[in-house]
Amino acid sequence: MTTREAMPGAVTDVVIVGGGLAGLPLALALAKGGLEVTVIDAIAPATSADPGFDGRTSAIAFSSCRMLDELGVMTRLKGQTQPINDILVSDGRVRGGASPLFLHFDHREIGDEPLGQMIENRFLRIALQKSVDAEPAITQIAPATVRKAEFSSAAGTVTLSDGRRLSARLIIAADGRGSPMRKQMGIRTIGWDYGQSGIVTTVEHELPHEGVAQEYFLPGGPFAMLPMTGNRCSLVWTEKTAAAKAMVALPDADFANEMRARFGTHLGACRPVGPRWSYPLSMHLARGYVKPRFALLGDAAHGIHPIAGQGLNLGWRDVAAMAEVIVDAARLGLDIGALDILERYERWRRFDNTVLAMTMDGLNRLFSNDIAPVRLARDLGLGIVNRIGPARRLFMRHAGGSIGDLPRLLRGEAL
Amino acid sequence: MNTKTPAARINTVDPAEIARFSAMAAEWWDPAGKFRPLHKFNPTRLAYIRERVVRHFALDPAVRRPFEGLRILDIGCGGGLLCEPMARMGAHVVGADAGDLNIATAQVHAGEQGLAIDYRCTTAEALAEAGEQFDIILNMEVIEHVADRAGFINACAGMVKPGGLMFVATLNRTLKAYSLAIVGAEYLLRWLPAGTHEWSKFVTPAELAADIAAAGLDIAEQTGVGYNPILDRWSLTPDMAVNYMVLCERPR
């Protein structure tokens, strides 16, 4: 901005509460669109970049990759991305191996681009932070929390834990599943706990994975092996929460044996390396995403079962839609915090998020059991989808995020 | 009626008065409220104005305030729905309206938003008399309400600097306009209070073109503006049978 209108106290364009994997890309997109942004996070950037902070690896859909590219983040991830060329989905039993009926997604069927990229969350956080550091229109305040949020006809004002007050035309909450801002704003959610937890660790194996992601449906929940750089896989192993806790607490050798019983031998000798994490799984959907001068983004608005690894990509679709709506409004001189502007974002995203949450919920219910007729039906289902080319390609395009009314950033276009 | 000028009303610090105007401003600016149709319509006409102004004056479309340095008059500005975006885009804006309540309301709202806009309770004729000159005049949804249309357009045109622009938006006098803008918008959908528009005062593009030519301006472009009830969205259309806009220019 070249000049600033006279205003009691400093008013920035947007305050984003939460500088995580949803908040930082939004800050970058808005700054590229010419807005001034302040990001507040409870955790200092150095802490969230620590190897022990977030052990997950994310499958980044190819539409999301285009956005990272457009935001200048992809170039900072050289050598840290593993393309996903194929996805193999099959039913399985512990020690029983995979069912002969399976589903195979091959990226060559829908184009030259891989289905997505596997990137360790830690590297994503570091790359996003570097891009934010290089962006003069973004101010970062961390560690700090929001003690109070107040709204007037002209601005939203947050009071921080250290007593500082910040005003903005628009306050966006990207503060995660438990979103304290969402609670403070009195926005309720619907949802349930799956009684499952995801065990996450890294596995080193003897033979190359060739960029193949594998997912077995075991009675305790899906067991996914996602290719990482080198001869490594990120293991996402879902179990009933009590079983998951016990598993994580096992001595290393016993844990390795349990893992091998499920992992199989197709990649040769394998062993878990590094720490193990366990994340409780739940689904939640906010009843509304927006209020005047306020909006929810990413996990603060919705959380889904990770059965198809879509959570982060959904959050990024929120980012791309929000950035487009806000930047377009700002260009026309409109008030970016006005409810009619924010409702465009809500209409754009809420339906998609709800449909995907329910689909993932249904898939989890269908596969996380060992009931013989259900098992037969789903195996036949997998086999049938695998034999129908158009259905298979539709699934792939969906997972790649190239279906529906896509925001410009996800099409790889500038804002 | 109160005989004090609106400026005087605002300057006399009466908290009750300010609160009343603030409440009226909230009404004007509520996107779901009484002026919902205008809020719906606004992005379409703003996008058109921005695009044409940037092109005509060879401005940089990538910057936040492309209109920096331009002097704009919004005649019949109401609560300031066009003035505020113009000010945010960097223009020096004069908002004129004959209704003193509108002006007081617009002033209070711009103050709350921290925007500097020169609002005046006056008429086009009085501004022209005072020798005011503008790079751009926004003459939007006004001519169908004035008594002497030719005189009004002449007064506005006289204030356009050589090489400057005037945007005129109004309603065509067709059966379609009668059924949509009056029967539909006022009586069926109740978007607007009944009696907002008088069909006989609607203006055909030919009549408008004659007034504009008589006032010494050239017509650069004409376009229809249409409403899609399914998408609940306005967009530009070649069909000028209901809402339409005319862009004119004073020759250098």
Side-chain angles (χ1 to χ4, degrees), chain A residues 2-3 5-7 13 34 153-154 169 293 331-335 340, chain B residues 31 39 42-43 46-47 50 64-65 68 84-85 88-89 112-115:
Chain A
T2 48
T3 59
E5 295 92 359
M7 185 80 192
D13 290 317
S153 67
R169 302 290 171 199
R293 304 206 177 276
R331 284 210 178 115
L332 297 183
L334 291 166
D335 178 356
D340 54 338
Chain B
H39 286 279
N42 224 13
L46 285 171
R50 184 187 206 271
R64 185 77 179 270
R65 296 164 67 86
E68 204 90 55
E84 292 195 6
R88 286 200 194 91
M89 285 193 261
E112 286 172 356
Q113 301 299 316
L115 294 169

PDB file of all heavy atoms in Angstrom, chain A residues 2-3 5-7 13 34 153-154 169 293 331-335 340, chain B residues 31 39 42-43 46-47 50 64-65 68 84-85 88-89 112-115:
ATOM      1  N   THR A   2       0.465   2.236  -0.745  1.00  0.00           N
ATOM      2  CA  THR A   2       1.274   3.443  -0.824  1.00  0.00           C
ATOM      3  C   THR A   2       0.912   4.420   0.296  1.00  0.00           C
ATOM      4  O   THR A   2       1.777   4.992   0.926  1.00  0.00           O
ATOM      5  CB  THR A   2       1.053   4.143  -2.173  1.00  0.00           C
ATOM      6  OG1 THR A   2      -0.344   4.230  -2.398  1.00  0.00           O
ATOM      7  CG2 THR A   2       1.691   3.364  -3.298  1.00  0.00           C
ATOM      8  N   THR A   3      -0.367   4.583   0.552  1.00  0.00           N
ATOM      9  CA  THR A   3      -0.756   5.483   1.643  1.00  0.00           C
ATOM     10  C   THR A   3      -1.767   4.750   2.508  1.00  0.00           C
ATOM     11  O   THR A   3      -2.300   3.729   2.138  1.00  0.00           O
ATOM     12  CB  THR A   3      -1.457   6.746   1.104  1.00  0.00           C
ATOM     13  OG1 THR A   3      -2.600   6.336   0.382  1.00  0.00           O
ATOM     14  CG2 THR A   3      -0.551   7.557   0.225  1.00  0.00           C
ATOM     15  N   GLU A   5      -5.210   5.399   5.005  1.00  0.00           N
ATOM     16  CA  GLU A   5      -6.217   6.354   5.457  1.00  0.00           C
ATOM     17  C   GLU A   5      -6.054   6.601   6.954  1.00  0.00           C
ATOM     18  O   GLU A   5      -5.626   5.712   7.691  1.00  0.00           O
ATOM     19  CB  GLU A   5      -7.635   5.811   5.213  1.00  0.00           C
ATOM     20  CG  GLU A   5      -8.010   5.615   3.773  1.00  0.00           C
ATOM     21  CD  GLU A   5      -7.698   4.222   3.274  1.00  0.00           C
ATOM     22  OE1 GLU A   5      -7.177   3.410   4.054  1.00  0.00           O
ATOM     23  OE2 GLU A   5      -7.949   3.962   2.104  1.00  0.00           O
ATOM     24  N   ALA A   6      -6.405   7.803   7.346  1.00  0.00           N
ATOM     25  CA  ALA A   6      -6.344   8.123   8.770  1.00  0.00           C
ATOM     26  C   ALA A   6      -7.341   7.232   9.510  1.00  0.00           C
ATOM     27  O   ALA A   6      -8.448   7.030   9.069  1.00  0.00           O
ATOM     28  CB  ALA A   6      -6.708   9.584   8.980  1.00  0.00           C
ATOM     29  N   MET A   7      -6.923   6.661  10.611  1.00  0.00           N
ATOM     30  CA  MET A   7      -7.793   5.719  11.320  1.00  0.00           C
ATOM     31  C   MET A   7      -7.316   5.668  12.760  1.00  0.00           C
ATOM     32  O   MET A   7      -6.125   5.670  13.011  1.00  0.00           O
ATOM     33  CB  MET A   7      -7.643   4.347  10.657  1.00  0.00           C
ATOM     34  CG  MET A   7      -8.570   3.292  11.197  1.00  0.00           C
ATOM     35  SD  MET A   7     -10.231   3.423  10.496  1.00  0.00           S
ATOM     36  CE  MET A   7     -11.086   2.311  11.603  1.00  0.00           C
ATOM     37  N   ASP A  13      -4.894  -5.049   6.761  1.00  0.00           N
ATOM     38  CA  ASP A  13      -5.978  -5.620   5.966  1.00  0.00           C
ATOM     39  C   ASP A  13      -6.528  -6.890   6.616  1.00  0.00           C
ATOM     40  O   ASP A  13      -7.710  -7.016   6.854  1.00  0.00           O
ATOM     41  CB  ASP A  13      -5.485  -5.936   4.546  1.00  0.00           C
ATOM     42  CG  ASP A  13      -5.207  -4.680   3.745  1.00  0.00           C
ATOM     43  OD1 ASP A  13      -6.035  -3.758   3.818  1.00  0.00           O
ATOM     44  OD2 ASP A  13      -4.173  -4.604   3.066  1.00  0.00           O
ATOM     45  N   GLY A  34      -1.447  -8.146  -2.971  1.00  0.00           N
ATOM     46  CA  GLY A  34      -1.312  -6.741  -2.619  1.00  0.00           C
ATOM     47  C   GLY A  34      -1.866  -6.357  -1.259  1.00  0.00           C
ATOM     48  O   GLY A  34      -2.011  -5.174  -0.959  1.00  0.00           O
ATOM     49  N   SER A 153     -18.239  -1.982  13.211  1.00  0.00           N
ATOM     50  CA  SER A 153     -18.678  -1.934  11.815  1.00  0.00           C
ATOM     51  C   SER A 153     -17.492  -1.737  10.883  1.00  0.00           C
ATOM     52  O   SER A 153     -17.581  -1.988   9.696  1.00  0.00           O
ATOM     53  CB  SER A 153     -19.695  -0.815  11.615  1.00  0.00           C
ATOM     54  OG  SER A 153     -19.051   0.427  11.793  1.00  0.00           O
ATOM     55  N   ALA A 154     -16.351  -1.292  11.418  1.00  0.00           N
ATOM     56  CA  ALA A 154     -15.212  -0.987  10.549  1.00  0.00           C
ATOM     57  C   ALA A 154     -14.069  -1.984  10.645  1.00  0.00           C
ATOM     58  O   ALA A 154     -13.276  -2.106   9.718  1.00  0.00           O
ATOM     59  CB  ALA A 154     -14.670   0.407  10.871  1.00  0.00           C
ATOM     60  N   ARG A 169      -9.384  -5.346   8.835  1.00  0.00           N
ATOM     61  CA  ARG A 169     -10.688  -5.382   8.169  1.00  0.00           C
ATOM     62  C   ARG A 169     -11.295  -6.767   8.292  1.00  0.00           C
ATOM     63  O   ARG A 169     -12.504  -6.935   8.241  1.00  0.00           O
ATOM     64  CB  ARG A 169     -10.528  -5.058   6.683  1.00  0.00           C
ATOM     65  CG  ARG A 169      -9.887  -3.727   6.399  1.00  0.00           C
ATOM     66  CD  ARG A 169     -10.802  -2.595   6.768  1.00  0.00           C
ATOM     67  NE  ARG A 169     -10.083  -1.324   6.673  1.00  0.00           N
ATOM     68  CZ  ARG A 169     -10.477  -0.222   7.263  1.00  0.00           C
ATOM     69  NH1 ARG A 169     -11.567  -0.215   8.003  1.00  0.00           N
ATOM     70  NH2 ARG A 169      -9.783   0.868   7.150  1.00  0.00           N
ATOM     71  N   ARG A 293     -16.706  -9.809   9.185  1.00  0.00           N
ATOM     72  CA  ARG A 293     -15.274  -9.585   9.468  1.00  0.00           C
ATOM     73  C   ARG A 293     -14.573 -10.797  10.083  1.00  0.00           C
ATOM     74  O   ARG A 293     -13.525 -10.672  10.706  1.00  0.00           O
ATOM     75  CB  ARG A 293     -15.061  -8.360  10.372  1.00  0.00           C
ATOM     76  CG  ARG A 293     -15.677  -7.125   9.787  1.00  0.00           C
ATOM     77  CD  ARG A 293     -15.039  -5.841  10.224  1.00  0.00           C
ATOM     78  NE  ARG A 293     -15.697  -4.744   9.526  1.00  0.00           N
ATOM     79  CZ  ARG A 293     -15.373  -4.354   8.298  1.00  0.00           C
ATOM     80  NH1 ARG A 293     -14.377  -4.941   7.676  1.00  0.00           N
ATOM     81  NH2 ARG A 293     -16.040  -3.395   7.704  1.00  0.00           N
ATOM     82  N   ARG A 331      -9.448  -5.481  -5.017  1.00  0.00           N
ATOM     83  CA  ARG A 331      -9.149  -4.784  -6.282  1.00  0.00           C
ATOM     84  C   ARG A 331     -10.275  -3.843  -6.668  1.00  0.00           C
ATOM     85  O   ARG A 331     -10.044  -2.803  -7.259  1.00  0.00           O
ATOM     86  CB  ARG A 331      -8.980  -5.801  -7.403  1.00  0.00           C
ATOM     87  CG  ARG A 331      -7.663  -6.474  -7.296  1.00  0.00           C
ATOM     88  CD  ARG A 331      -7.108  -6.915  -8.623  1.00  0.00           C
ATOM     89  NE  ARG A 331      -5.813  -7.505  -8.325  1.00  0.00           N
ATOM     90  CZ  ARG A 331      -5.519  -8.786  -8.499  1.00  0.00           C
ATOM     91  NH1 ARG A 331      -6.389  -9.588  -9.061  1.00  0.00           N
ATOM     92  NH2 ARG A 331      -4.337  -9.237  -8.153  1.00  0.00           N
ATOM     93  N   LEU A 332     -11.527  -4.218  -6.335  1.00  0.00           N
ATOM     94  CA  LEU A 332     -12.673  -3.373  -6.687  1.00  0.00           C
ATOM     95  C   LEU A 332     -12.945  -2.321  -5.623  1.00  0.00           C
ATOM     96  O   LEU A 332     -13.930  -1.609  -5.693  1.00  0.00           O
ATOM     97  CB  LEU A 332     -13.924  -4.240  -6.889  1.00  0.00           C
ATOM     98  CG  LEU A 332     -13.873  -5.243  -8.037  1.00  0.00           C
ATOM     99  CD1 LEU A 332     -15.187  -5.978  -8.163  1.00  0.00           C
ATOM    100  CD2 LEU A 332     -13.539  -4.537  -9.353  1.00  0.00           C
ATOM    101  N   GLY A 333     -12.078  -2.259  -4.606  1.00  0.00           N
ATOM    102  CA  GLY A 333     -12.267  -1.265  -3.564  1.00  0.00           C
ATOM    103  C   GLY A 333     -13.383  -1.635  -2.597  1.00  0.00           C
ATOM    104  O   GLY A 333     -13.843  -0.795  -1.833  1.00  0.00           O
ATOM    105  N   LEU A 334     -13.823  -2.888  -2.630  1.00  0.00           N
ATOM    106  CA  LEU A 334     -14.896  -3.306  -1.717  1.00  0.00           C
ATOM    107  C   LEU A 334     -14.322  -3.580  -0.328  1.00  0.00           C
ATOM    108  O   LEU A 334     -13.119  -3.789  -0.159  1.00  0.00           O
ATOM    109  CB  LEU A 334     -15.589  -4.552  -2.269  1.00  0.00           C
ATOM    110  CG  LEU A 334     -16.423  -4.312  -3.534  1.00  0.00           C
ATOM    111  CD1 LEU A 334     -16.786  -5.630  -4.194  1.00  0.00           C
ATOM    112  CD2 LEU A 334     -17.682  -3.518  -3.201  1.00  0.00           C
ATOM    113  N   ASP A 335     -15.198  -3.596   0.657  1.00  0.00           N
ATOM    114  CA  ASP A 335     -14.803  -3.863   2.039  1.00  0.00           C
ATOM    115  C   ASP A 335     -14.584  -5.379   2.173  1.00  0.00           C
ATOM    116  O   ASP A 335     -15.538  -6.156   2.108  1.00  0.00           O
ATOM    117  CB  ASP A 335     -15.941  -3.374   2.947  1.00  0.00           C
ATOM    118  CG  ASP A 335     -15.673  -3.648   4.415  1.00  0.00           C
ATOM    119  OD1 ASP A 335     -14.650  -4.290   4.740  1.00  0.00           O
ATOM    120  OD2 ASP A 335     -16.502  -3.200   5.238  1.00  0.00           O
ATOM    121  N   ASP A 340     -21.240 -10.192   2.654  1.00  0.00           N
ATOM    122  CA  ASP A 340     -21.580 -10.737   1.323  1.00  0.00           C
ATOM    123  C   ASP A 340     -20.330 -11.233   0.593  1.00  0.00           C
ATOM    124  O   ASP A 340     -20.402 -12.170  -0.198  1.00  0.00           O
ATOM    125  CB  ASP A 340     -22.385  -9.737   0.476  1.00  0.00           C
ATOM    126  CG  ASP A 340     -21.727  -8.384   0.340  1.00  0.00           C
ATOM    127  OD1 ASP A 340     -20.879  -8.038   1.188  1.00  0.00           O
ATOM    128  OD2 ASP A 340     -22.051  -7.652  -0.607  1.00  0.00           O
TER     129      ASP A 340
ATOM    130  N   PRO B  31     -25.450  -5.942   3.657  1.00  0.00           N
ATOM    131  CA  PRO B  31     -25.596  -6.612   2.356  1.00  0.00           C
ATOM    132  C   PRO B  31     -26.867  -7.447   2.248  1.00  0.00           C
ATOM    133  O   PRO B  31     -27.302  -7.775   1.152  1.00  0.00           O
ATOM    134  CB  PRO B  31     -24.346  -7.491   2.252  1.00  0.00           C
ATOM    135  CG  PRO B  31     -23.798  -7.601   3.625  1.00  0.00           C
ATOM    136  CD  PRO B  31     -24.249  -6.376   4.376  1.00  0.00           C
ATOM    137  N   HIS B  39     -26.042  -3.886  -3.401  1.00  0.00           N
ATOM    138  CA  HIS B  39     -24.820  -4.609  -3.027  1.00  0.00           C
ATOM    139  C   HIS B  39     -24.525  -5.724  -4.028  1.00  0.00           C
ATOM    140  O   HIS B  39     -23.378  -5.979  -4.362  1.00  0.00           O
ATOM    141  CB  HIS B  39     -24.948  -5.178  -1.615  1.00  0.00           C
ATOM    142  CG  HIS B  39     -24.841  -4.137  -0.550  1.00  0.00           C
ATOM    143  ND1 HIS B  39     -23.631  -3.645  -0.115  1.00  0.00           N
ATOM    144  CD2 HIS B  39     -25.789  -3.481   0.160  1.00  0.00           C
ATOM    145  CE1 HIS B  39     -23.850  -2.730   0.825  1.00  0.00           C
ATOM    146  NE2 HIS B  39     -25.152  -2.614   1.005  1.00  0.00           N
ATOM    147  N   ASN B  42     -23.295  -4.055  -7.247  1.00  0.00           N
ATOM    148  CA  ASN B  42     -22.093  -3.235  -7.129  1.00  0.00           C
ATOM    149  C   ASN B  42     -20.827  -3.848  -7.740  1.00  0.00           C
ATOM    150  O   ASN B  42     -20.139  -3.168  -8.497  1.00  0.00           O
ATOM    151  CB  ASN B  42     -21.860  -2.878  -5.656  1.00  0.00           C
ATOM    152  CG  ASN B  42     -21.477  -1.420  -5.478  1.00  0.00           C
ATOM    153  OD1 ASN B  42     -21.612  -0.618  -6.400  1.00  0.00           O
ATOM    154  ND2 ASN B  42     -20.992  -1.076  -4.298  1.00  0.00           N
ATOM    155  N   PRO B  43     -20.470  -5.129  -7.436  1.00  0.00           N
ATOM    156  CA  PRO B  43     -19.216  -5.654  -7.984  1.00  0.00           C
ATOM    157  C   PRO B  43     -19.174  -5.602  -9.511  1.00  0.00           C
ATOM    158  O   PRO B  43     -18.130  -5.309 -10.090  1.00  0.00           O
ATOM    159  CB  PRO B  43     -19.190  -7.106  -7.497  1.00  0.00           C
ATOM    160  CG  PRO B  43     -20.062  -7.125  -6.290  1.00  0.00           C
ATOM    161  CD  PRO B  43     -21.124  -6.094  -6.544  1.00  0.00           C
ATOM    162  N   LEU B  46     -18.609  -1.952 -10.527  1.00  0.00           N
ATOM    163  CA  LEU B  46     -17.266  -1.541 -10.107  1.00  0.00           C
ATOM    164  C   LEU B  46     -16.201  -2.138 -11.024  1.00  0.00           C
ATOM    165  O   LEU B  46     -15.246  -1.457 -11.402  1.00  0.00           O
ATOM    166  CB  LEU B  46     -16.999  -1.984  -8.664  1.00  0.00           C
ATOM    167  CG  LEU B  46     -17.695  -1.181  -7.580  1.00  0.00           C
ATOM    168  CD1 LEU B  46     -17.518  -1.869  -6.221  1.00  0.00           C
ATOM    169  CD2 LEU B  46     -17.145   0.244  -7.519  1.00  0.00           C
ATOM    170  N   ALA B  47     -16.365  -3.417 -11.367  1.00  0.00           N
ATOM    171  CA  ALA B  47     -15.386  -4.071 -12.234  1.00  0.00           C
ATOM    172  C   ALA B  47     -15.352  -3.372 -13.590  1.00  0.00           C
ATOM    173  O   ALA B  47     -14.284  -3.150 -14.161  1.00  0.00           O
ATOM    174  CB  ALA B  47     -15.728  -5.549 -12.400  1.00  0.00           C
ATOM    175  N   ARG B  50     -13.657   0.107 -13.123  1.00  0.00           N
ATOM    176  CA  ARG B  50     -12.221  -0.022 -12.903  1.00  0.00           C
ATOM    177  C   ARG B  50     -11.507  -0.346 -14.214  1.00  0.00           C
ATOM    178  O   ARG B  50     -10.524   0.289 -14.587  1.00  0.00           O
ATOM    179  CB  ARG B  50     -11.949  -1.135 -11.886  1.00  0.00           C
ATOM    180  CG  ARG B  50     -10.483  -1.273 -11.518  1.00  0.00           C
ATOM    181  CD  ARG B  50     -10.285  -2.512 -10.653  1.00  0.00           C
ATOM    182  NE  ARG B  50      -9.119  -2.415  -9.795  1.00  0.00           N
ATOM    183  CZ  ARG B  50      -7.901  -2.813 -10.168  1.00  0.00           C
ATOM    184  NH1 ARG B  50      -7.695  -3.287 -11.374  1.00  0.00           N
ATOM    185  NH2 ARG B  50      -6.888  -2.702  -9.328  1.00  0.00           N
ATOM    186  N   ARG B  64      -2.723  -1.486  -5.791  1.00  0.00           N
ATOM    187  CA  ARG B  64      -3.891  -1.443  -4.927  1.00  0.00           C
ATOM    188  C   ARG B  64      -4.712  -0.172  -5.137  1.00  0.00           C
ATOM    189  O   ARG B  64      -5.913  -0.181  -5.003  1.00  0.00           O
ATOM    190  CB  ARG B  64      -3.396  -1.529  -3.466  1.00  0.00           C
ATOM    191  CG  ARG B  64      -4.471  -1.606  -2.421  1.00  0.00           C
ATOM    192  CD  ARG B  64      -5.067  -2.992  -2.339  1.00  0.00           C
ATOM    193  NE  ARG B  64      -6.086  -3.058  -1.324  1.00  0.00           N
ATOM    194  CZ  ARG B  64      -5.867  -3.366  -0.062  1.00  0.00           C
ATOM    195  NH1 ARG B  64      -4.636  -3.662   0.332  1.00  0.00           N
ATOM    196  NH2 ARG B  64      -6.844  -3.404   0.805  1.00  0.00           N
ATOM    197  N   ARG B  65      -4.048   0.949  -5.469  1.00  0.00           N
ATOM    198  CA  ARG B  65      -4.759   2.224  -5.621  1.00  0.00           C
ATOM    199  C   ARG B  65      -4.508   2.822  -7.005  1.00  0.00           C
ATOM    200  O   ARG B  65      -3.848   3.859  -7.143  1.00  0.00           O
ATOM    201  CB  ARG B  65      -4.321   3.183  -4.507  1.00  0.00           C
ATOM    202  CG  ARG B  65      -4.697   2.686  -3.095  1.00  0.00           C
ATOM    203  CD  ARG B  65      -3.933   3.428  -2.004  1.00  0.00           C
ATOM    204  NE  ARG B  65      -4.298   4.827  -1.915  1.00  0.00           N
ATOM    205  CZ  ARG B  65      -5.325   5.275  -1.207  1.00  0.00           C
ATOM    206  NH1 ARG B  65      -6.069   4.435  -0.519  1.00  0.00           N
ATOM    207  NH2 ARG B  65      -5.598   6.562  -1.186  1.00  0.00           N
ATOM    208  N   GLU B  68      -5.191   6.734  -7.963  1.00  0.00           N
ATOM    209  CA  GLU B  68      -4.469   7.821  -7.299  1.00  0.00           C
ATOM    210  C   GLU B  68      -4.328   9.010  -8.265  1.00  0.00           C
ATOM    211  O   GLU B  68      -3.904   8.826  -9.407  1.00  0.00           O
ATOM    212  CB  GLU B  68      -3.080   7.310  -6.893  1.00  0.00           C
ATOM    213  CG  GLU B  68      -2.440   8.033  -5.750  1.00  0.00           C
ATOM    214  CD  GLU B  68      -2.778   7.409  -4.393  1.00  0.00           C
ATOM    215  OE1 GLU B  68      -2.539   6.201  -4.209  1.00  0.00           O
ATOM    216  OE2 GLU B  68      -3.262   8.169  -3.542  1.00  0.00           O
ATOM    217  N   GLU B  84     -17.095   4.918  -1.603  1.00  0.00           N
ATOM    218  CA  GLU B  84     -16.088   4.264  -0.766  1.00  0.00           C
ATOM    219  C   GLU B  84     -15.131   3.395  -1.583  1.00  0.00           C
ATOM    220  O   GLU B  84     -13.917   3.502  -1.414  1.00  0.00           O
ATOM    221  CB  GLU B  84     -16.754   3.498   0.385  1.00  0.00           C
ATOM    222  CG  GLU B  84     -17.403   4.455   1.390  1.00  0.00           C
ATOM    223  CD  GLU B  84     -17.775   3.810   2.727  1.00  0.00           C
ATOM    224  OE1 GLU B  84     -17.431   2.629   2.946  1.00  0.00           O
ATOM    225  OE2 GLU B  84     -18.406   4.502   3.545  1.00  0.00           O
ATOM    226  N   PRO B  85     -15.638   2.521  -2.477  1.00  0.00           N
ATOM    227  CA  PRO B  85     -14.693   1.768  -3.313  1.00  0.00           C
ATOM    228  C   PRO B  85     -13.780   2.677  -4.139  1.00  0.00           C
ATOM    229  O   PRO B  85     -12.592   2.401  -4.281  1.00  0.00           O
ATOM    230  CB  PRO B  85     -15.609   0.933  -4.218  1.00  0.00           C
ATOM    231  CG  PRO B  85     -16.856   0.750  -3.422  1.00  0.00           C
ATOM    232  CD  PRO B  85     -17.021   2.043  -2.669  1.00  0.00           C
ATOM    233  N   ARG B  88     -11.112   3.888  -1.910  1.00  0.00           N
ATOM    234  CA  ARG B  88     -10.137   2.818  -1.622  1.00  0.00           C
ATOM    235  C   ARG B  88      -9.241   2.566  -2.813  1.00  0.00           C
ATOM    236  O   ARG B  88      -8.104   2.156  -2.660  1.00  0.00           O
ATOM    237  CB  ARG B  88     -10.860   1.521  -1.235  1.00  0.00           C
ATOM    238  CG  ARG B  88     -11.443   1.556   0.158  1.00  0.00           C
ATOM    239  CD  ARG B  88     -11.697   0.148   0.695  1.00  0.00           C
ATOM    240  NE  ARG B  88     -12.550   0.228   1.868  1.00  0.00           N
ATOM    241  CZ  ARG B  88     -13.884   0.161   1.808  1.00  0.00           C
ATOM    242  NH1 ARG B  88     -14.485  -0.048   0.662  1.00  0.00           N
ATOM    243  NH2 ARG B  88     -14.593   0.263   2.913  1.00  0.00           N
ATOM    244  N   MET B  89      -9.756   2.783  -4.009  1.00  0.00           N
ATOM    245  CA  MET B  89      -8.919   2.604  -5.202  1.00  0.00           C
ATOM    246  C   MET B  89      -8.013   3.814  -5.421  1.00  0.00           C
ATOM    247  O   MET B  89      -7.284   3.876  -6.406  1.00  0.00           O
ATOM    248  CB  MET B  89      -9.784   2.338  -6.432  1.00  0.00           C
ATOM    249  CG  MET B  89     -10.361   0.918  -6.457  1.00  0.00           C
ATOM    250  SD  MET B  89     -11.055   0.472  -8.067  1.00  0.00           S
ATOM    251  CE  MET B  89     -12.788   0.757  -7.808  1.00  0.00           C
ATOM    252  N   GLU B 112     -16.382   6.184   9.957  1.00  0.00           N
ATOM    253  CA  GLU B 112     -16.165   4.912  10.658  1.00  0.00           C
ATOM    254  C   GLU B 112     -15.141   4.054   9.930  1.00  0.00           C
ATOM    255  O   GLU B 112     -14.347   3.342  10.551  1.00  0.00           O
ATOM    256  CB  GLU B 112     -17.485   4.126  10.741  1.00  0.00           C
ATOM    257  CG  GLU B 112     -18.475   4.677  11.757  1.00  0.00           C
ATOM    258  CD  GLU B 112     -19.847   3.985  11.683  1.00  0.00           C
ATOM    259  OE1 GLU B 112     -20.068   3.128  10.798  1.00  0.00           O
ATOM    260  OE2 GLU B 112     -20.701   4.320  12.519  1.00  0.00           O
ATOM    261  N   GLN B 113     -15.171   4.100   8.606  1.00  0.00           N
ATOM    262  CA  GLN B 113     -14.264   3.266   7.812  1.00  0.00           C
ATOM    263  C   GLN B 113     -12.880   3.906   7.652  1.00  0.00           C
ATOM    264  O   GLN B 113     -11.995   3.305   7.052  1.00  0.00           O
ATOM    265  CB  GLN B 113     -14.847   3.014   6.409  1.00  0.00           C
ATOM    266  CG  GLN B 113     -16.203   2.334   6.402  1.00  0.00           C
ATOM    267  CD  GLN B 113     -16.179   0.961   7.043  1.00  0.00           C
ATOM    268  OE1 GLN B 113     -15.276   0.175   6.792  1.00  0.00           O
ATOM    269  NE2 GLN B 113     -17.135   0.678   7.905  1.00  0.00           N
ATOM    270  N   GLY B 114     -12.736   5.142   8.128  1.00  0.00           N
ATOM    271  CA  GLY B 114     -11.452   5.817   7.994  1.00  0.00           C
ATOM    272  C   GLY B 114     -11.171   6.278   6.578  1.00  0.00           C
ATOM    273  O   GLY B 114     -10.024   6.360   6.156  1.00  0.00           O
ATOM    274  N   LEU B 115     -12.218   6.582   5.818  1.00  0.00           N
ATOM    275  CA  LEU B 115     -12.039   7.030   4.440  1.00  0.00           C
ATOM    276  C   LEU B 115     -12.313   8.532   4.356  1.00  0.00           C
ATOM    277  O   LEU B 115     -13.284   9.020   4.928  1.00  0.00           O
ATOM    278  CB  LEU B 115     -13.004   6.291   3.508  1.00  0.00           C
ATOM    279  CG  LEU B 115     -12.771   4.786   3.344  1.00  0.00           C
ATOM    280  CD1 LEU B 115     -13.953   4.148   2.630  1.00  0.00           C
ATOM    281  CD2 LEU B 115     -11.480   4.526   2.583  1.00  0.00           C
TER     282      LEU B 115
END
